[in-house]
């Protein structure tokens, strides 16, 4: 049987970090198994990401019915670079208070304890060196020019009296800002570009694409290796030190469950032999609920050259406490929710609930372990999230009606002027809601009985097995998730290699 010191499952955002960092030690052999293959050329082109959704670089998941909406498409990258190779490239940390809350259930994971790893992961020169990295593998920058819709958005937020910040990833984590993007020389710069590709010529690193891991192999309580499918044949591999899961917030719990690691009642109901009783596997999946106000434009706006989202705002609604609760962003496309008709030419202001309370799950499908997972991100599952989103909708409309948009605005297409009273607004939000493409929490770290990994990211009760991806996050950060996953994976590598 093929044998390596470390076997990493998935070459997504986290897997690329682990591959590069673990193979820095020339005496350690590292195998990375990735289900996808290198993506189409369009993955490098920042503005092309919406075209990749539903194609070969996307797992093509769908959710269960959400709120008042039907099943939602739930994209996830299936290629080296993972979801970070098909996403919108936004590089944003959540508010520090959110990480400090992680530390209540997962001691050691406060913002200040994570900060060295945020810094290690990024190259964001010219920023406050106390808080930002300037020599890491992820190249980060703000484009020099901006789409007129993004400019109008920033102007409108300021005109409405909300704050602005120079660096949302720095000291002032509230206000409107130009998005930092993981781009370099006009091209996408995913973790595959920053970490994996520069390490490929190391003799101790082996990367196998088109290799889908189908089961973990346990001897007693030790994970010894795994099985995977490649070119139609079943292969085995042994890990002498550790298997590290980096298959993402859907892929990692799904692999554990199909291997017999999870809630025994669920496993028995799906006729999967129980190898380990870990009831938290697949629980607590969640994401930012997203909705949008869509405008019909006067004429045809110029096509965007970056990732279509170039300006963001983390703001406090009247319901907020000591930190922003609503995320707003401009979209230079008339991004209409599934199931709604929208204008041909237009733009949108997106609304996100920054710290959602709704929780869902990842489960095995009814037709055996090979069936697609059943995914419920729990969007608007908690009434508090609907109330926050309603505030966000009001704020987005306030901005969209501002004078800064006068040259562009023909009419509000969605929800439309007739949607005014609270019942109609709630109905729109429940029908329009979609996931923020940042699932987390399905293999939560912590010390309580539902935690799947301990605070060193070791799967509880099993030796030789860790998880180092978005699934371990106890709660979604108040921002898109990729920058946080980079930091968590950097820290995982340091824990594993005992730096
Ligand atoms: C369309 C889209 C847009 C996004 N935009 C942004 C954004 O602008 N900013 C931001 O911060 N975040 C964004 N995100 C979210 C961000 O990309 C993710 O949070 C992040 O990539 C999660 O990292 P991960 O390593 O946990 O998982 P992933 O990056 O998803 O990596 C998991 C990898 O594991 C592989 N895999 C899964 N199962 C198996 C298996 N059984 N065998 C072998 N390989 C397997 C997958 O193919 C994949 O390559 C976006 C996501 C999507 C889908």
């Amino acid at each position: 049987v093929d044998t390596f010191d470390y076997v990493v499952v998935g070459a997504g955002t986290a897997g690329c970090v682990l591959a590069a960092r673990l193979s820095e030690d020339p005496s350690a052999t590292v195998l990375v198994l990735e289900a996808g293959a290198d993506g189409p050329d369009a993955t490098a082109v920042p503005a092309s990401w919406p075209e990749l959704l539903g194609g070969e670089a996307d797992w093509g998941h769908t959710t269960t019915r959400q709120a008042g909406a039907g099943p939602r498409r739930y994209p996830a990258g299936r290629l080296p670079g993972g979801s970070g190779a098909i996403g919108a490239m936004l590089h944003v940390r959540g508010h520090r208070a959110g990480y400090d809350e992680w530390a209540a259930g997962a001691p050691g994971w406060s913002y200040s304890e994570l900060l060295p790893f945020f810094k290690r992961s990024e190259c964001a020169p010219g920023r406050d060196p106390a808080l930002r990295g300037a020599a890491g593998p992820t190249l980060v920058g703000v484009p020099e020019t901006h789409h007129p819709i993004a400019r109008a958005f920033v102007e409108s937020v300021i005109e409405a009296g909300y704050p602005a910040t120079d660096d949302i990833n720095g000291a002032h984590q509230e206000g409107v800002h130009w998005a930092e993007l993981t781009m370099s020389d006009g091209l996408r710069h995913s973790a595959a570009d920053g970490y994996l590709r520069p390490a490929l010529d190391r003799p101790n690193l082996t990367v196998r694409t088109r290799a889908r891991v189908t089961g973990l192999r346990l001897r007693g309580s030790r994970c010894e290796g795994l099985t995977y499918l490649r070119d139609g044949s079943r292969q085995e591999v042994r890990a002498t030190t550790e298997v590290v899961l980096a298959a993402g917030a859907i892929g990692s719990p799904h692999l554990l469950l199909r291997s017999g690691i999870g809630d025994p009642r669920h496993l028995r109901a799906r006729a999967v032999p129980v190898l380990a009783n870990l009831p938290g596997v697949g629980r607590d999946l969640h994401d930012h609920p997203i909705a949008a106000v869509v405008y019909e434009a006067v004429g045809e706006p110029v096509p965007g050259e970056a990732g279509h989202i170039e300006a963001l705002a983390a703001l406090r609604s009247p319901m907020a406490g000591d930190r922003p609760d609503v995320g707003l962003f401009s979209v230079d496309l008339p991004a209409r929710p599934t199931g709604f008709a929208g204008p041909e030419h237009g733009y949108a202001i997106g609304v996100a609930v920054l710290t959602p309370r709704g929780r869902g799950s990842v489960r095995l499908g009814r037709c055996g372990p090979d069936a697609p997972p059943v995914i419920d991100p729990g969007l608007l599952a908690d009434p508090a999230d609907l109330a926050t989103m309603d505030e966000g909708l009001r704020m987005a409309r306030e901005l969209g009606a501002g004078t800064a948009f006068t040259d562009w605005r023909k009419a509000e297409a969605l929800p439309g002027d007739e949607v005014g009273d609270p019942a109609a607004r709630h109905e729109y939000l429940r029908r329009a809601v979609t996931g923020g493409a940042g699932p987390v929490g399905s293999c939560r770290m912590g010390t309580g009985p539902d935690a799947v990994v301990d605070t060193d990211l070791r799967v509880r009760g099993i030796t030789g097995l860790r998880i180092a991806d978005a699934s371990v996050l106890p709660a979604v950060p108040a921002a898109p998730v990729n920058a946080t996953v980079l930091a968590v994976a950097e820290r995982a590598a340091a824990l594993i290699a005992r730096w």
Side-chain angles (χ1 to χ4, degrees):
V1 180
D2 246 1
T3 303
F4 294 82
D5 294 323
Y6 298 105
V7 179
V8 178
V9 180
T13 298
C16 290
V17 175
L18 290 155
R21 292 302 188 197
L22 295 177
S23 64
E24 277 176 9
D25 172 359
S27 70
T29 55
V30 181
L31 171 68
V32 182
L33 297 169
E34 164 56 46
D38 276 325
D41 291 346
T43 52
V45 182
S48 296
W49 69 268
E51 298 159 26
L52 302 168
L53 308 185
E56 63 186 86
D58 175 6
W59 283 85
H61 296 309
T62 50
T63 69
T64 57
R65 298 181 68 81
Q66 297 294 301
R72 289 315 204 197
R73 275 168 49 161
Y74 209 40
R78 182 182 168 123
L79 72 168
S83 301
I86 65 166
M89 295 160 296
L90 303 164
H91 183 78
V92 198
R93 296 178 195 171
H95 194 278
R96 69 193 65 210
Y99 305 104
D100 289 344
E101 280 170 7
W102 287 9
W109 287 84
S110 67
Y111 184 67
S112 60
E113 288 160 304
L114 206 45
L115 184 57
F117 303 97
F118 275 118
K119 290 173 71 176
R120 184 180 290 178
S121 71
E122 65 179 10
C123 178
R127 302 289 196 169
D128 176 359
L131 296 170
R132 304 299 311 272
T138 306
L139 305 181
V140 177
V142 175
E144 276 169 23
T145 56
H146 286 107
H147 193 279
I149 292 297
R151 291 205 303 267
F153 175 78
V154 170
E155 230 176 274
S156 195
V157 177
I158 292 167
E159 258 175 28
Y162 295 106
T165 174
D166 285 351
D167 186 359
I168 194 80
N169 297 324
H172 302 292
Q173 295 191 287
E174 177 169 358
V176 69
H177 55 101
W178 299 118
E180 284 189 35
L181 301 173
T182 50
M183 269 173 68
S184 165
D185 291 335
L187 297 176
R188 174 191 298 278
H189 189 78
S190 73
D193 304 304
Y195 286 88
L196 188 66
R197 293 193 177 110
L200 283 178
D201 58 0
R202 294 179 189 163
N204 60 330
L205 174 63
T206 307
V207 180
R208 292 188 187 142
T209 54
R210 301 186 328 279
R212 186 166 60 85
V213 178
T214 51
L216 300 172
R217 289 161 48 85
L218 264 58
R219 180 188 291 256
S221 62
R222 179 169 176 82
C223 181
E224 288 201 323
L226 47 78
T227 52
Y228 64 98
L229 282 174
R230 196 175 193 218
D231 298 332
S233 82
R234 187 171 171 276
Q235 323 246 352
E236 273 184 31
V237 64
R238 247 169 60 97
T240 50
T241 308
E242 283 194 19
V243 171
V244 188
L245 301 189
I250 309 298
S252 288
H254 190 225
L255 179 60
L256 290 171
L257 292 171
R258 54 181 297 169
S259 304
I261 300 168
D263 183 339
R265 275 177 312 174
H266 175 59
L267 297 174
R268 284 191 202 107
R270 296 288 179 271
V272 175
V274 180
L275 296 188
N277 176 354
L278 261 183
V281 175
R283 279 193 196 161
D284 288 332
L285 182 77
H286 63 287
D287 194 351
H288 299 114
I290 303 271
V293 182
V294 183
Y295 295 89
E296 185 176 1
V298 180
E300 190 178 344
V302 289
E305 286 177 9
H308 303 296
I309 302 171
E310 297 182 35
L312 306 165
L315 302 180
R316 267 190 271 185
S317 79
M319 291 165 49
D322 57 355
R323 70 185 103 145
D325 58 345
V326 168
L328 298 169
F329 51 95
S330 63
V331 189
D332 57 42
L333 298 170
R336 61 182 174 77
T338 308
F340 287 83
E344 196 183 339
H345 301 303
Y347 56 94
I349 298 179
V351 182
V353 178
L354 289 180
T355 48
R357 294 199 201 162
R359 296 292 184 268
S361 61
V362 180
R363 290 279 176 252
L364 291 170
R366 289 196 177 276
C367 304
D370 282 329
V374 178
I375 303 169
D376 173 11
L379 303 175
L380 303 183
D382 189 302
D385 297 345
L386 184 61
T388 306
M389 192 156 236
D390 191 34
E391 283 296 334
L393 177 69
R394 183 189 56 72
M395 292 158 79
R397 285 174 134 176
E398 175 192 7
L399 301 178
T403 52
F405 279 106
T406 308
D407 290 347
W408 297 103
R409 185 181 53 240
K410 187 166 175 192
E412 180 186 299
L414 291 171
D417 292 338
E418 67 285 6
V419 176
D421 64 66
R425 294 197 310 264
H426 287 187
E427 165 74 9
Y428 171 72
L429 292 171
R430 289 169 52 80
R431 281 182 57 212
V433 71
T434 190
V440 303
S442 48
C443 296
R444 199 155 50 81
M445 72 165 134
T447 50
D450 268 3
V452 174
V453 295
D454 67 17
T455 52
D456 283 344
L457 306 180
R458 291 178 294 226
V459 175
R460 294 173 69 207
I462 298 176
T463 51
L465 183 61
R466 285 195 220 227
I467 312 179
D469 57 24
S471 67
V472 304
L473 274 49
V476 73
V481 179
N482 202 61
T484 301
V485 174
L486 288 169
V488 167
E490 284 278 12
R491 183 154 193 205
L495 288 166
I496 293 167
R498 294 201 199 85
W499 289 330

